[in-house]
Amino acid sequence: MAMSYKVRFWDIRERPKRRKPFEVRWTVNGRERSESFITKGLAESRRAKLMTAARDGEAFDEQTGLPASEIRAIRQRTTWYDLAHAYIDE
């Protein structure tokens, strides 16, 4: 998993006539990433979270485009499948 501190953000782009018209765009080590949202407020919130992570000095994963803290949170989640296996083992 390659991590990079080279992150740049663009303004939120509005794409009319789409189901999710507001797009947050950023690059990690020159590779473009984006997420689309239904409202501009949701898009601004997501962009602010990403910018805060970059401002706090977090590295971003080059493959997924996510900050290290979000990747850790995803890996620590317990899935229903894991819970079911634990229940069966009991």
Side-chain angles (χ1 to χ4, degrees), residues 4-13 23-35 37 42-61 64-70:
S4 176
Y5 292 96
K6 188 177 178 184
V7 182
R8 302 186 96 183
F9 298 94
W10 290 321
D11 289 336
I12 294 171
R13 178 168 65 176
E23 184 178 42
V24 177
R25 298 182 307 150
W26 71 100
T27 61
V28 178
N29 204 17
R31 189 169 179 191
E32 185 178 336
R33 298 288 175 196
S34 67
E35 290 182 28
F37 296 91
L42 291 172
E44 288 173 347
S45 176
R46 178 62 175 149
R47 183 173 183 261
K49 284 183 182 181
L50 292 169
M51 291 179 77
T52 300
R55 207 174 292 125
D56 289 344
E58 282 191 51
F60 280 64
D61 181 35
T64 63
L66 299 175
S69 61
E70 288 185 19

Side-chain angles (χ1 to χ4, degrees), residues 10 20 24 36 38 43 46 61-62 65 72 77 85:
W10 290 321
K20 294 181 178 181
V24 177
S36 297
I38 295 174
R46 178 62 175 149
D61 181 35
E62 292 180 6
R72 277 192 305 273
R77 287 184 190 155
H85 270 274

